[in-house]
Amino acid sequence: MIDITPRVSEKIAESGIAEGQVLVFTPGSTAALTTIEYESGVVGDLIEAIERIVPQKAHYRHDARWGDGNGYAHVRSALLGPSLTVPVMNGRLGLGTWQQIVLIDFDNRPRKRQVIVQASGLKIRSVA
């Protein structure tokens, strides 16, 4: 689980968008994006909750078909989802005080992950 909030904030600043929204998306079927308070206690709680809902050691038809052992990762990703939309207000992410954007990689082997960030809205106008 990786806090990507600073990188998304940088993209907002680079875009010049003052009011609008930002779409954050990760391609692939074994990773997801969500928001959470990124501190060890609640991160651990989320990991445990996901394990209870979609146990890694359960039987998955995907594993029987493909033999790669990551059926749980596909299901977890589908439940959380590959994208988020966050409001942009006054040139900043409209997140709560203790809310961060996180990328969660569920796969059972290393993957090179990509995160696409697209901002849209009204740009800051400078007055000359």
Side-chain angles (χ1 to χ4, degrees), residues 29-84:
S29 61
T30 57
L33 291 160
T34 192
T35 62
I36 195 167
E37 180 180 351
Y38 193 72
E39 64 84 21
S40 61
V42 77
V43 166
D45 293 339
L46 179 61
I47 290 167
E48 289 175 8
I50 291 168
E51 180 60 27
R52 283 191 304 272
I53 295 165
V54 184
Q56 187 172 352
K57 301 294 183 191
H59 172 76
Y60 295 95
R61 290 175 185 88
H62 174 82
D63 297 342
R65 179 173 180 149
W66 297 101
D68 53 5
N70 70 349
Y72 71 95
H74 289 278
V75 175
R76 290 175 179 187
S77 175
L79 288 175
L80 284 178
S83 66
L84 290 173

Side-chain angles (χ1 to χ4, degrees), residues 30-31 68 70 74 105 107-114:
T30 57
D68 53 5
N70 70 349
H74 289 278
D105 188 340
D107 218 325
N108 58 358
R109 60 186 166 280
R111 300 279 186 191
K112 183 177 179 184
R113 296 295 180 186
Q114 178 185 16

Side-chain angles (χ1 to χ4, degrees), residues 3 14 49 65 79 83 85 90 100-101 108 119 123 126:
D3 178 3
E14 291 170 10
R65 179 173 180 149
L79 288 175
S83 66
T85 302
N90 297 318
Q100 289 82 43
I101 301 169
N108 58 358
K123 288 197 171 204
S126 61

Side-chain angles (χ1 to χ4, degrees), residues 78-98:
L79 288 175
L80 284 178
S83 66
L84 290 173
T85 302
V86 179
V88 175
M89 302 175 298
N90 297 318
R92 306 184 83 164
L93 290 169
L95 296 170
T97 302
W98 304 111

